[in-house]
Amino acid sequence: MKHYEVEILDAKTKDKLCFLDKVEPNATIGEIKSMFHKSHPQWYPARQSIRLDPKGKSLKDEDVLQQLPVGTTATFYFRDLGAQISWVTVFLTEYTGPLVIYLLFYFRVPFIYTPKYDFTTSKHWVVHLACMCHSFHYVKRLLETLFVHRFSHGTMPLRNIFKNCTYYWGFAAWMAYYINHPLYTPPIYGEQQIRLALIVFLFCQIGNFSIHIALRNLRPPGSKTRKIPYPTKNPFTWIFLLVSCPNYTYELGSWLGFTLMTQCLPVAFFTLVGFIQMTVWAKGKHRSYLKEFRDYPPLRSPILPFVL
Amino acid sequence: MSAAAPGTSKAAHGEAGPKKKKGPGALATAYLVIYNVVMTAGWLVIAVGLVRAYLARGSYHGLYYSIEKPLKFVLWAAENSFFPYLTVFSVLSPNSGIVPSSVVLTGFQVMSRVFLTWAVTHSVREVQSEDSVLLFVTAWTITEIIRYSFYTFSLLNHLPYLIKWARYTFFIVLYPMGVTGELLTIYAALPYVQKTGLYSVTLPNKYNFSFDYYTFLILVMVSYIPLFPQLYFHMIRQRKKVLGHTEDYSKIE
């Protein structure tokens, strides 16, 4: 069996960083990354981007050496992706924040409102309901992160955790401040409005969860395969007929429900910003589905049926 | 940044149309030249207005009124031509001597000027007679006359070195001058904003929302601390890139 030689150059300076000889032809990029890590311990595999071309796309960990367009002496280019942090860590941190922060406002912890209100509770029952819904939502997200989601990427750049936490924690504090404020005004249409909002919210929470389960079941444990999602027996997944990313559709629905329930402008802003971001993600996902699968159902829109 | 067409079911695979990188055509160049000439003229009108009002009044108090309308016009023109302008401008030939400035920074500058003019000076009548207003208007006027003539000449491929030098040198004094004027103006507006509750919303209300413009203005002032040095040092870096050679430094003295 012929062995390969692998040299790794810096993509920017073209300096020779590493030379590996006697590499197995069926070695994967992932294995090569581990070997590279041994000679450069500060660059753990997650922060290595290995490419065939200095300006090209990163090769995947699963790519096999002998299947790449390289000679028996393969030259790869390396780029440092910077400090990385795992997706799970980021999700857990960014979701725990809102859960805790909202409760601080709900219990009217000192230094938020006027001292005479410290540790009092709101007289409006919708405020208690809102707290339950908000907390339920983030507990659900935490549990999904731990037990449901199968991530394609292990890590993301470290700076993302600061950006993401600022977004989630900041908005949570802003919304919670008003909902739990002593001068909070409950919804104009009272019980009717709150009831409708609760139904919408719960419906979308179940929907969102159903989609997460369906997506998880597409992918065997530990794998990174991508398949077209289809409706299952669960009626909440039938929306796949019309939409590529119904998890985002349901998420939007949940927050619209919460906005209606609390009748709070900051919640509406949060819903709007979230909707914009999810639309960007949905469009990207929809485009990659179209690129990858020739037979992708043409009726589907990225996030809103027929519209967006 | 995603530029995908809306994801209707009719959309086939991929984006709408290939992205081509090319210089501006004759039409685009003509548009840009006209735009920059108009902007240079607009700021010149403001400069002339300031000088005439000073000569007429004998003092520089209350010169804001004499240039209020042309100032609002040039800012309106900058806001509304900004995006198409920059899209074309960003692909101009590299030999024109123009170092493409960051879209974000310039857009931010337009926004902050609109804010100072409308949300502070126009809205709080009492500050219109402050000298600090004159300070930032003068700084903006000189900067912009130089900057727009710089673009005009560059587009016509006849850029006098003096204009290039002025554009990348005057800012050293004009930026701090403008920032000082802006900060002093906002500071002067504070007591009036607090007293009248201008642009502020209090609880309780049915939208469960509140906004304190007074606090917001203070936050704006604080934001100058991280932002101004970034803009300033960006220009200094541009200066090194564009003017580069060390002989130039001896010409300044």
Side-chain angles (χ1 to χ4, degrees):
Chain A
M1 179 166 56
K2 243 183 344 181
H3 280 141
Y4 279 68
E5 292 179 329
V6 171
E7 61 167 6
I8 302 182
L9 309 179
D10 185 295
K12 272 189 246 169
T13 64
K14 312 289 193 297
D15 290 342
K16 262 215 233 311
L17 295 172
C18 177
F19 185 81
L20 305 162
D21 59 358
K22 294 224 193 2
V23 182
E24 309 267 315
N26 59 3
T28 62
I29 293 292
E31 288 163 359
I32 290 173
K33 283 185 183 176
S34 303
M35 292 189 256
F36 184 43
H37 174 48
K38 288 208 184 75
S39 60
H40 292 269
Q42 75 277 24
W43 290 325
Y44 41 87
R47 72 189 276 180
Q48 297 177 26
S49 164
I50 302 288
R51 331 83 190 253
L52 288 166
D53 184 85
K55 298 209 176 107
K57 266 181 58 176
S58 276
L59 294 169
K60 300 198 212 103
D61 281 4
E62 304 80 55
D63 290 338
V64 175
L65 184 56
Q66 66 182 359
Q67 287 166 1
L68 293 169
V70 291
T72 45
T73 301
T75 303
F76 292 121
Y77 293 92
F78 161 78
R79 235 183 129 236
D80 182 14
L81 296 170
Q84 298 284 301
I85 186 167
S86 80
W87 271 63
V88 173
T89 309
V90 174
F91 272 35
L92 292 178
T93 319
E94 69 190 14
Y95 296 155
T96 307
L99 185 62
V100 170
I101 289 170
Y102 192 102
L103 290 171
L104 293 175
F105 285 88
Y106 176 74
F107 289 114
R108 293 186 182 158
V109 145
F111 298 108
I112 301 175
Y113 305 110
T114 330
K116 73 175 176 185
Y117 293 111
D118 289 351
F119 296 118
T120 56
T121 47
S122 173
K123 59 184 182 213
H124 306 290
W125 68 273
V126 67
V127 172
H128 308 299
L129 181 64
C131 182
M132 288 189 272
C133 289
H134 188 271
S135 306
F136 171 78
H137 179 79
Y138 281 102
V139 167
K140 169 179 160 292
R141 285 210 200 189
L142 285 166
L143 293 174
E144 284 172 339
T145 304
L146 290 169
F147 301 114
V148 178
H149 295 316
R150 294 213 164 106
F151 296 100
S152 344
H153 303 282
T155 68
M156 63 167 87
L158 183 62
R159 67 177 167 279
N160 278 14
I161 197 175
F162 301 109
K163 206 171 34 115
N164 292 10
C165 285
T166 305
Y167 171 78
Y168 278 104
W169 297 17
F171 262 115
W174 195 39
M175 296 191 289
Y177 174 77
Y178 289 106
I179 299 169
N180 299 292
H181 200 283
L183 297 177
Y184 171 75
T185 309
I188 309 181
Y189 296 105
E191 204 143 318
Q192 274 184 312
Q193 184 172 336
I194 299 169
R195 192 172 298 138
L196 173 64
L198 181 63
I199 293 170
V200 169
F201 177 80
L202 288 175
F203 182 89
C204 293
Q205 289 290 286
I206 299 171
N208 177 269
F209 180 70
S210 305
I211 302 299
H212 287 159
I213 293 290
L215 289 173
R216 169 199 170 81
N217 290 336
L218 280 183
R219 186 177 267 183
S223 82
K224 293 183 187 178
T225 51
R226 267 188 309 281
K227 305 216 294 261
I228 303 177
Y230 282 106
T232 69
K233 291 205 187 66
N234 181 344
F236 285 97
T237 64
W238 296 352
I239 191 177
F240 269 121
L241 291 168
L242 297 174
V243 160
S244 288
C245 301
N247 48 320
Y248 296 142
T249 317
Y250 280 122
E251 184 69 18
L252 171 67
S254 297
W255 286 106
L256 284 173
F258 194 68
T259 306
L260 191 65
M261 189 190 295
T262 56
Q263 199 171 287
C264 177
L265 196 57
V267 179
F269 275 131
F270 179 64
T271 307
L272 178 66
V273 176
F275 174 57
I276 293 171
Q277 174 66 89
M278 289 191 292
T279 303
V280 170
W281 289 336
K283 286 192 166 189
K285 188 93 206 156
H286 184 79
R287 224 175 309 137
S288 42
Y289 276 142
L290 288 173
K291 243 193 239 175
E292 189 163 350
F293 303 110
R294 293 275 126 197
D295 56 340
Y296 195 72
L299 191 62
R300 294 189 192 183
S301 312
I303 186 172
L304 294 180
F306 309 115
V307 169
L308 201 56
Chain B
M1 263 194 285
S2 152
T8 60
S9 49
K10 286 198 295 222
H13 313 275
E15 291 92 329
K19 290 191 179 80
K20 284 185 284 209
K21 205 171 191 237
K22 55 172 196 230
L27 197 63
T29 309
Y31 166 77
L32 287 173
V33 170
I34 293 171
Y35 172 78
N36 283 292
V37 166
V38 165
M39 294 304 276
T40 312
W43 285 98
L44 273 167
V45 164
I46 295 171
V48 166
L50 286 173
V51 171
R52 284 177 64 182
Y54 175 77
L55 293 173
R57 264 174 245 218
S59 82
Y60 52 80
H61 290 295
L63 293 184
Y64 171 74
Y65 302 101
S66 45
I67 49 87
E68 184 182 359
K69 287 205 170 27
L71 177 63
K72 288 173 175 172
F73 168 74
V74 287
L75 289 177
W76 171 88
E79 276 180 86
N80 287 289
S81 326
F82 180 63
F83 286 109
Y85 171 77
L86 262 146
T87 316
V88 184
F89 181 57
S90 64
V91 296
L92 267 179
S93 134
N95 294 324
S96 63
I98 299 173
V99 179
S101 48
S102 156
V103 177
V104 173
L105 287 181
T106 318
F108 183 78
Q109 189 174 67
V110 172
M111 252 178 33
S112 77
R113 291 208 181 136
V114 168
F115 179 78
L116 244 304
T117 306
W118 284 98
V120 182
T121 315
H122 170 87
S123 302
V124 186
R125 304 205 71 85
E126 293 86 349
V127 307
Q128 288 169 6
S129 47
E130 292 279 327
D131 296 340
S132 54
V133 173
L134 180 70
L135 199 59
F136 73 74
V137 173
T138 307
W140 294 358
T141 305
I142 302 175
T143 308
E144 297 300 83
I145 291 172
I146 298 172
R147 190 164 73 95
Y148 285 113
S149 12
F150 171 86
Y151 291 153
T152 310
F153 285 117
S154 303
L155 284 161
L156 300 170
N157 286 313
H158 265 298
L159 178 65
Y161 182 77
L162 181 65
I163 305 243
K164 181 154 87 169
W165 177 86
R167 192 221 164 161
Y168 286 101
T169 306
F170 277 38
F171 79 89
I172 296 176
V173 169
L174 293 177
Y175 258 40
M177 186 171 133
V179 164
T180 309
E182 293 170 26
L183 286 173
L184 286 173
T185 307
I186 300 174
Y187 185 72
L190 288 177
Y192 300 103
V193 169
Q194 188 171 49
K195 194 170 59 166
T196 62
L198 180 69
Y199 299 149
S200 300
V201 175
T202 53
L203 290 176
N205 61 70
K206 65 183 174 189
Y207 300 111
N208 290 304
F209 176 72
S210 68
F211 180 70
D212 183 23
Y213 194 48
Y214 176 81
T215 309
F216 179 74
L217 285 176
I218 293 179
L219 291 175
V220 168
M221 289 177 74
V222 168
S223 74
Y224 273 72
I225 298 175
L227 291 171
F228 169 68
Q230 282 190 56
L231 285 166
Y232 196 61
F233 290 115
H234 171 76
M235 281 305 284
I236 292 191
R237 272 193 303 270
Q238 301 287 69
R239 179 170 202 267
K240 283 207 178 69
K241 240 196 256 182
V242 174
L243 298 181
H245 339 280
T246 43
E247 310 96 73
D248 292 347
Y249 293 109
S250 59
K251 275 192 210 156
I252 298 167
E253 317 297 80

